[in-house]
Amino acid sequence: MDMQSGTVEEALDKAAAVGVTAVVQVGCDLERSRWAAEVAGRHENVHATVALHPNEAPRIRREEGPGALDAALDEIAALAALPQVRGVGETGLDYFRTGADGIEAQTYSFRRHLRIAKEVGKALVIHDRDAHQDVLRVLREEGAPGTVVFHCFSGDAAMAEECAAAGYYMSFAGNVTFKSAQPLRDALAVAPLDLLLVETDAPFLTPAPYRGRPNAPYLIPVTLRAMAAVKGVDEDELATAVAANTARAFGCPPPR
Protein backbone atom coordinates (compact mmCIF):
# COMPACT_ATOMS: atom_id res chain seq x y z
CA MET A 1 0.00 0.00 0.00
CA ASP A 2 1.06 3.58 -0.60
CA MET A 3 0.75 5.78 2.50
CA GLN A 4 0.10 8.79 0.26
CA SER A 5 -2.79 7.39 -1.82
CA GLY A 6 -6.31 6.95 -0.47
CA THR A 7 -7.12 5.27 2.83
CA VAL A 8 -5.92 1.96 4.19
CA GLU A 9 -9.50 0.77 4.40
CA GLU A 10 -10.13 1.54 0.72
CA ALA A 11 -7.00 -0.32 -0.32
CA LEU A 12 -7.87 -3.34 1.81
CA ASP A 13 -11.46 -3.43 0.53
CA LYS A 14 -10.32 -3.36 -3.11
CA ALA A 15 -7.78 -6.07 -2.41
CA ALA A 16 -10.29 -8.29 -0.60
CA ALA A 17 -12.68 -7.95 -3.54
CA VAL A 18 -10.20 -9.88 -5.70
CA GLY A 19 -9.25 -12.42 -3.04
CA VAL A 20 -6.21 -10.67 -1.50
CA THR A 21 -7.17 -10.83 2.17
CA ALA A 22 -3.87 -10.05 3.91
CA VAL A 23 -0.92 -7.79 3.09
CA VAL A 24 2.59 -7.12 4.35
CA GLN A 25 3.29 -3.38 4.54
CA VAL A 26 7.00 -2.72 4.08
CA GLY A 27 8.85 0.15 5.75
CA CYS A 28 11.72 1.92 3.99
CA ASP A 29 12.54 4.82 6.32
CA LEU A 30 11.67 5.86 9.86
CA GLU A 31 8.45 7.64 8.93
CA ARG A 32 7.12 4.78 6.81
CA SER A 33 8.28 2.15 9.28
CA ARG A 34 6.42 3.89 12.10
CA TRP A 35 3.37 4.13 9.84
CA ALA A 36 3.57 0.45 8.83
CA ALA A 37 3.73 -0.63 12.47
CA GLU A 38 0.85 1.67 13.39
CA VAL A 39 -1.36 0.41 10.55
CA ALA A 40 -0.56 -3.23 11.33
CA GLY A 41 -1.49 -2.59 14.94
CA ARG A 42 -4.95 -1.43 13.85
CA HIS A 43 -5.70 -4.09 11.20
CA GLU A 44 -5.33 -7.80 11.90
CA ASN A 45 -4.93 -8.56 8.18
CA VAL A 46 -2.00 -6.12 7.80
CA HIS A 47 1.50 -7.16 8.87
CA ALA A 48 4.46 -4.79 8.97
CA THR A 49 8.15 -4.87 8.23
CA VAL A 50 10.43 -2.03 9.29
CA ALA A 51 13.80 -0.80 8.05
CA LEU A 52 15.91 1.91 6.49
CA HIS A 53 16.10 1.46 2.72
CA PRO A 54 19.72 1.05 1.56
CA ASN A 55 19.71 4.52 0.05
CA GLU A 56 18.58 6.01 3.37
CA ALA A 57 21.81 5.04 5.15
CA PRO A 58 24.22 7.23 3.15
CA ARG A 59 21.66 10.05 3.07
CA ILE A 60 21.33 10.06 6.87
CA ARG A 61 25.09 9.96 7.36
CA ARG A 62 25.63 12.73 4.83
CA GLU A 63 22.87 15.04 6.06
CA GLU A 64 22.62 14.22 9.77
CA GLY A 65 25.94 12.61 10.73
CA PRO A 66 27.08 9.09 11.72
CA GLY A 67 25.40 9.28 15.12
CA ALA A 68 22.05 9.87 13.47
CA LEU A 69 22.35 6.62 11.50
CA ASP A 70 22.96 4.61 14.67
CA ALA A 71 20.03 6.35 16.38
CA ALA A 72 17.76 5.54 13.45
CA LEU A 73 18.87 1.91 13.49
CA ASP A 74 18.18 1.75 17.22
CA GLU A 75 14.62 2.90 16.57
CA ILE A 76 14.24 0.28 13.84
CA ALA A 77 15.35 -2.35 16.36
CA ALA A 78 12.69 -1.15 18.83
CA LEU A 79 9.98 -1.22 16.15
CA ALA A 80 11.10 -4.68 14.99
CA ALA A 81 10.35 -6.08 18.44
CA LEU A 82 6.65 -5.14 18.22
CA PRO A 83 4.34 -8.15 17.77
CA GLN A 84 2.60 -6.77 14.67
CA VAL A 85 5.98 -6.32 12.95
CA ARG A 86 6.77 -9.54 11.11
CA GLY A 87 10.04 -8.69 9.42
CA VAL A 88 13.05 -6.43 9.11
CA GLY A 89 13.27 -4.80 5.70
CA GLU A 90 13.56 -3.63 3.14
CA THR A 91 17.29 -3.54 3.70
CA GLY A 92 20.26 -4.59 1.63
CA LEU A 93 22.38 -2.94 -1.05
CA ASP A 94 21.49 -0.68 -3.97
CA TYR A 95 24.28 0.27 -6.36
CA PHE A 96 21.91 1.78 -8.93
CA ARG A 97 21.32 5.13 -7.22
CA THR A 98 24.13 5.21 -4.66
CA GLY A 99 27.71 5.63 -5.84
CA ALA A 100 30.89 4.17 -4.42
CA ASP A 101 30.94 6.78 -1.65
CA GLY A 102 27.71 5.34 -0.22
CA ILE A 103 28.64 1.64 -0.20
CA GLU A 104 30.24 1.65 3.25
CA ALA A 105 27.18 3.21 4.89
CA GLN A 106 24.86 0.84 3.04
CA THR A 107 26.88 -2.19 4.09
CA TYR A 108 27.04 -1.04 7.71
CA SER A 109 23.27 -0.52 7.75
CA PHE A 110 22.62 -3.89 6.06
CA ARG A 111 24.74 -5.74 8.61
CA ARG A 112 22.93 -3.99 11.48
CA HIS A 113 19.53 -4.89 10.04
CA LEU A 114 20.64 -8.48 9.58
CA ARG A 115 21.66 -8.70 13.22
CA ILE A 116 18.40 -7.10 14.32
CA ALA A 117 16.44 -9.72 12.37
CA LYS A 118 18.33 -12.48 14.15
CA GLU A 119 17.87 -10.83 17.55
CA VAL A 120 14.08 -10.56 17.19
CA GLY A 121 13.71 -13.85 15.29
CA LYS A 122 11.90 -12.38 12.30
CA ALA A 123 12.25 -12.43 8.52
CA LEU A 124 14.92 -10.37 6.79
CA VAL A 125 13.48 -8.62 3.71
CA ILE A 126 16.19 -7.72 1.22
CA HIS A 127 16.35 -4.95 -1.35
CA ASP A 128 18.99 -5.94 -3.91
CA ARG A 129 19.63 -3.74 -6.92
CA ASP A 130 22.74 -4.24 -9.04
CA ALA A 131 24.43 -5.79 -5.99
CA HIS A 132 23.61 -9.50 -6.16
CA GLN A 133 26.97 -11.00 -5.26
CA ASP A 134 27.72 -8.49 -2.49
CA VAL A 135 24.31 -9.12 -0.91
CA LEU A 136 24.91 -12.88 -0.96
CA ARG A 137 28.43 -12.37 0.40
CA VAL A 138 27.21 -10.32 3.39
CA LEU A 139 24.59 -12.99 4.14
CA ARG A 140 27.33 -15.62 4.17
CA GLU A 141 29.70 -13.52 6.28
CA GLU A 142 27.11 -12.55 8.90
CA GLY A 143 25.19 -15.81 8.86
CA ALA A 144 21.67 -15.44 7.50
CA PRO A 145 18.67 -15.40 9.84
CA GLY A 146 16.21 -18.27 9.70
CA THR A 147 14.07 -16.55 7.08
CA VAL A 148 15.33 -14.44 4.18
CA VAL A 149 13.05 -12.84 1.59
CA PHE A 150 14.41 -11.26 -1.58
CA HIS A 151 11.94 -8.43 -2.15
CA CYS A 152 11.19 -7.64 -5.80
CA PHE A 153 13.58 -10.36 -6.93
CA SER A 154 15.78 -9.08 -9.75
CA GLY A 155 18.36 -11.81 -10.28
CA ASP A 156 18.76 -14.25 -13.13
CA ALA A 157 18.21 -18.01 -13.20
CA ALA A 158 21.64 -18.74 -11.75
CA MET A 159 20.96 -16.46 -8.78
CA ALA A 160 17.52 -18.01 -8.30
CA GLU A 161 19.17 -21.41 -8.06
CA GLU A 162 21.68 -20.07 -5.53
CA CYS A 163 18.90 -18.56 -3.43
CA ALA A 164 16.89 -21.77 -3.63
CA ALA A 165 19.87 -23.80 -2.42
CA ALA A 166 20.11 -21.49 0.61
CA GLY A 167 16.36 -21.67 1.27
CA TYR A 168 15.74 -17.99 0.57
CA TYR A 169 12.27 -16.86 -0.49
CA MET A 170 11.97 -14.99 -3.79
CA SER A 171 9.20 -12.42 -4.14
CA PHE A 172 8.17 -11.38 -7.65
CA ALA A 173 6.42 -8.15 -8.62
CA GLY A 174 4.56 -6.81 -11.64
CA ASN A 175 7.73 -6.37 -13.67
CA VAL A 176 7.67 -10.12 -14.32
CA THR A 177 4.99 -9.25 -16.89
CA PHE A 178 7.14 -6.74 -18.79
CA LYS A 179 8.23 -7.71 -22.31
CA SER A 180 11.84 -6.87 -21.45
CA ALA A 181 11.87 -9.13 -18.38
CA GLN A 182 12.68 -12.53 -19.91
CA PRO A 183 15.68 -13.06 -17.57
CA LEU A 184 13.33 -12.50 -14.64
CA ARG A 185 10.87 -15.05 -16.03
CA ASP A 186 13.78 -17.47 -16.48
CA ALA A 187 14.58 -17.01 -12.79
CA LEU A 188 10.95 -17.58 -11.85
CA ALA A 189 10.88 -20.76 -13.94
CA VAL A 190 13.62 -22.39 -11.85
CA ALA A 191 12.51 -21.05 -8.44
CA PRO A 192 10.84 -23.77 -6.31
CA LEU A 193 7.12 -23.39 -5.69
CA ASP A 194 7.61 -23.50 -1.92
CA LEU A 195 9.93 -20.47 -2.01
CA LEU A 196 7.76 -18.14 -4.13
CA LEU A 197 6.05 -14.98 -2.95
CA VAL A 198 4.19 -12.24 -4.85
CA GLU A 199 4.09 -8.49 -4.19
CA THR A 200 3.22 -5.10 -5.64
CA ASP A 201 6.16 -2.82 -4.78
CA ALA A 202 3.32 -0.27 -4.75
CA PRO A 203 2.95 2.22 -6.23
CA PHE A 204 5.62 0.99 -8.67
CA LEU A 205 6.01 -1.92 -11.13
CA THR A 206 2.35 -2.08 -12.12
CA PRO A 207 1.81 -5.27 -14.15
CA ALA A 208 0.90 -5.21 -17.83
CA PRO A 209 -1.59 -4.33 -19.23
CA TYR A 210 -2.19 -1.78 -16.44
CA ARG A 211 1.15 0.04 -16.62
CA GLY A 212 0.68 3.78 -16.17
CA ARG A 213 -1.61 3.54 -13.16
CA PRO A 214 -0.36 3.24 -9.56
CA ASN A 215 0.21 -0.33 -8.44
CA ALA A 216 -1.87 -1.61 -5.52
CA PRO A 217 -2.77 -4.93 -3.83
CA TYR A 218 -5.91 -5.38 -5.96
CA LEU A 219 -3.64 -5.98 -8.96
CA ILE A 220 -1.85 -8.92 -7.31
CA PRO A 221 -4.02 -11.47 -9.20
CA VAL A 222 -2.70 -10.07 -12.50
CA THR A 223 0.90 -10.69 -11.47
CA LEU A 224 0.07 -14.07 -9.98
CA ARG A 225 -1.68 -15.14 -13.20
CA ALA A 226 1.43 -14.30 -15.20
CA MET A 227 3.61 -16.17 -12.70
CA ALA A 228 1.41 -19.26 -12.96
CA ALA A 229 1.79 -19.23 -16.73
CA VAL A 230 5.59 -19.12 -16.42
CA LYS A 231 5.57 -21.95 -13.87
CA GLY A 232 3.09 -24.01 -15.89
CA VAL A 233 0.79 -24.49 -12.90
CA ASP A 234 -2.84 -23.72 -12.20
CA GLU A 235 -3.50 -20.25 -10.79
CA ASP A 236 -5.28 -21.67 -7.75
CA GLU A 237 -2.37 -24.00 -7.06
CA LEU A 238 0.08 -21.11 -7.14
CA ALA A 239 -2.19 -18.89 -5.04
CA THR A 240 -2.46 -21.62 -2.40
CA ALA A 241 1.29 -22.11 -2.35
CA VAL A 242 2.01 -18.38 -2.12
CA ALA A 243 -0.46 -17.95 0.75
CA ALA A 244 1.18 -20.79 2.67
CA ASN A 245 4.67 -19.46 1.90
CA THR A 246 3.71 -15.97 3.09
CA ALA A 247 2.30 -17.32 6.34
CA ARG A 248 5.42 -19.40 6.91
CA ALA A 249 7.90 -16.66 5.97
CA PHE A 250 6.34 -13.97 8.13
CA GLY A 251 5.15 -16.14 11.00
CA CYS A 252 1.55 -15.09 10.62
CA PRO A 253 -1.59 -17.22 10.25
CA PRO A 254 -3.00 -17.77 6.75
CA PRO A 255 -5.73 -15.22 5.90
CA ARG A 256 -9.25 -16.14 6.86
Side-chain angles (χ1 to χ4, degrees), residues 2-248:
D2 177 8
M3 66 183 288
Q4 306 297 334
S5 301
T7 69
V8 171
E9 289 74 20
E10 288 169 349
L12 293 175
D13 286 346
K14 290 180 72 174
V18 295
V20 178
T21 56
V23 300
V24 176
Q25 180 62 40
V26 175
C28 57
D29 57 26
L30 281 180
E31 180 186 9
R32 288 170 176 81
S33 292
R34 294 170 187 141
W35 182 77
E38 187 271 326
V39 170
R42 288 192 289 110
H43 298 272
E44 65 176 0
N45 55 342
V46 177
H47 312 291
T49 74
V50 297
L52 305 179
H53 187 281
N55 291 330
E56 271 290 285
R59 184 198 65 78
I60 291 173
R61 269 201 178 167
R62 182 177 62 252
E63 297 178 7
E64 303 175 35
L69 178 57
D70 282 321
L73 289 164
D74 288 344
E75 182 171 350
I76 291 298
L79 289 169
L82 295 173
Q84 71 268 31
V85 174
R86 302 290 184 164
V88 177
E90 59 187 88
T91 181
L93 300 172
D94 186 325
Y95 295 166
F96 180 74
R97 288 193 176 89
T98 298
D101 59 338
I103 291 176
E104 192 277 331
Q106 283 197 0
T107 304
Y108 175 81
S109 178
F110 182 24
R111 291 182 188 274
R112 279 285 311 272
H113 281 87
L114 198 155
R115 294 166 191 167
I116 291 167
K118 291 198 285 188
E119 288 166 5
V120 297
K122 296 176 182 178
L124 181 72
V125 180
I126 290 178
H127 172 102
D128 163 32
R129 190 164 188 185
D130 294 350
H132 305 323
Q133 292 309 309
D134 280 352
V135 166
L136 293 171
R137 174 181 54 79
V138 171
L139 286 168
R140 289 192 299 269
E141 290 174 354
E142 290 286 336
T147 301
V148 173
V149 175
F150 272 80
H151 145 78
C152 198
F153 187 82
S154 60
D156 58 12
M159 183 176 175
E161 290 174 341
E162 190 168 353
C163 288
Y168 301 156
Y169 290 92
M170 289 162 271
S171 184
F172 288 83
N175 55 336
V176 77
T177 69
F178 297 177
K179 289 182 179 180
S180 60
Q182 189 56 48
L184 195 57
R185 287 187 286 275
D186 293 342
L188 172 60
V190 302
L193 203 62
D194 64 351
L195 292 176
L196 288 181
L197 301 174
V198 64
E199 65 176 278
T200 61
D201 196 37
F204 310 110
L205 301 183
T206 306
Y210 299 100
R211 296 182 70 178
R213 71 172 67 176
N215 205 356
Y218 77 92
L219 290 171
I220 281 290
V222 179
T223 300
L224 189 130
R225 191 173 304 123
M227 291 172 62
V230 171
K231 296 296 292 179
V233 299
D234 181 79
E235 292 173 34
D236 288 341
E237 179 184 355
L238 180 58
T240 298
V242 166
N245 296 345
T246 303
R248 188 168 63 251

